[in-house]
C-alpha cells in the first residue's frame, strides 16, 4: 500500500539553528509547535492508515524561493519535523532507520501556488529498486515516483 501525505514547509536547518542560538527554550517550543501542527494537518487530511512495521519513504520538496534562500542540505533538515509528526499521528511506528528503509529525498519544480510544499510518500514495499537506476526508460516495468504519487492520490 502507498500513502501520499502533504505538508507545508517546516523550518529549515538554518531556521532551527538561528532560533536555537537566540534561545534554546524557544527552539524546543518551536519544535513541539511544528510537530503538533503537522500531525494535526494529517488528521485534517483524513489520514487513518497505520503502518505497523517497516516502511519505505520518499519526500519531495517543492523548489520555490527556498532554493535561492537555503542550500539544499538545509532544506532536507525540515524532514525531521515531518517524520516526528507522522509518528505522533500514528501513521508509522517509529522514524528510526530500523523502521524507515531507504529514505529518498528530492526536489521538484514549482508548479503553482496550490501545490503543497512537501509531499511524503510512504509504502509498505520498496519504492525504488537498484534496477530502476540502471534501466533505460523504455526498459523499465516499475512505476516511477511520479506514477506512485499520482496513483495513490487518485
Amino acid at each position: 500500500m502507498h500513502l501520499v501525505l502533504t505538508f507545508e514547509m517546516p523550518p529549515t536547518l538554518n531556521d532551527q539553528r538561528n532560533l536555537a542560538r537566540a534561545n534554546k527554550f524557544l527552539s524546543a517550543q518551536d519544535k513541539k509547535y511544528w510537530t503538533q501542527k503537522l500531525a494535526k494537518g494529517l488528521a485534517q487530511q483524513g489520514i487513518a492508515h497505520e503502518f505497523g512495521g517497516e516502511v519505505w519513504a520518499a519526500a519531495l520538496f517543492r523548489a520555490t524561493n527556498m532554493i535561492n534562500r537555503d542550500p539544499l542540505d538545509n532544506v532536507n533538515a525540515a524532514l525531521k519535523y515531518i517524520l516526528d509528526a507522522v509518528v505522533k499521528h500514528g501513521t508509522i511506528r517509529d522514524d528510526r532507520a530500523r523502521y524507515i528503509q531507504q529514505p529518498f529525498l528530492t526536489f521538484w519544480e514549482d508548479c503553482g501556488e496550490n501545490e503543497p510544499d512537501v509531499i511524503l510518500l510512504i509504502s509498505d514495499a520498496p519504492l525504488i529498486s537498484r534496477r530502476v537506476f540502471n534501466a533505460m526508460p523504455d526498459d523499465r516495468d516499475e512505476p516511477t515516483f511520479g506514477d506512485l504519487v499520482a496513483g495513490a492520490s487518485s
Side-chain angles (χ1 to χ4, degrees), residues 52-87:
E54 294 180 340
V55 297
W56 284 258
L60 285 91
F61 291 90
R62 182 167 63 136
T64 59
N65 292 338
M66 71 179 182
I67 299 301
N68 295 327
R69 185 183 61 135
D70 283 322
L72 300 181
D73 58 341
N74 291 327
V75 173
N76 288 343
L79 189 59
K80 168 70 175 156
Y81 294 91
I82 293 168
L83 292 178
D84 287 351
V86 172
V87 170

Side-chain angles (χ1 to χ4, degrees), residues 123-145:
S123 176
D124 58 1
L127 297 169
I128 300 171
S129 72
R130 291 184 183 142
R131 197 164 57 102
V132 170
F133 290 107
N134 296 327
M136 298 300 291
D138 296 355
D139 299 339
R140 188 175 42 80
D141 61 350
E142 297 171 354
T144 65
F145 187 79

Side-chain angles (χ1 to χ4, degrees), residues 39-58:
K40 184 178 178 182
L42 288 173
Q44 290 172 346
Q45 291 178 52
I47 304 300
H49 183 79
E50 296 178 14
F51 293 90
E54 294 180 340
V55 297
W56 284 258

Side-chain angles (χ1 to χ4, degrees), residues 3-5 8-9 12 17 22 30-32 38-40 45 50 52 60 64 93-94 116 119 121 123 125 129 139 141:
L3 188 60
V4 177
L5 312 173
E8 66 179 277
M9 185 66 180
T12 65
R17 188 185 65 226
D30 192 57
K31 162 70 174 68
K32 183 177 179 180
L38 296 173
K40 184 178 178 182
Q45 291 178 52
E50 296 178 14
L60 285 91
T64 59
R93 183 174 177 185
D94 202 316
I119 297 173
L121 177 62
S123 176
S129 72
D139 299 339
D141 61 350

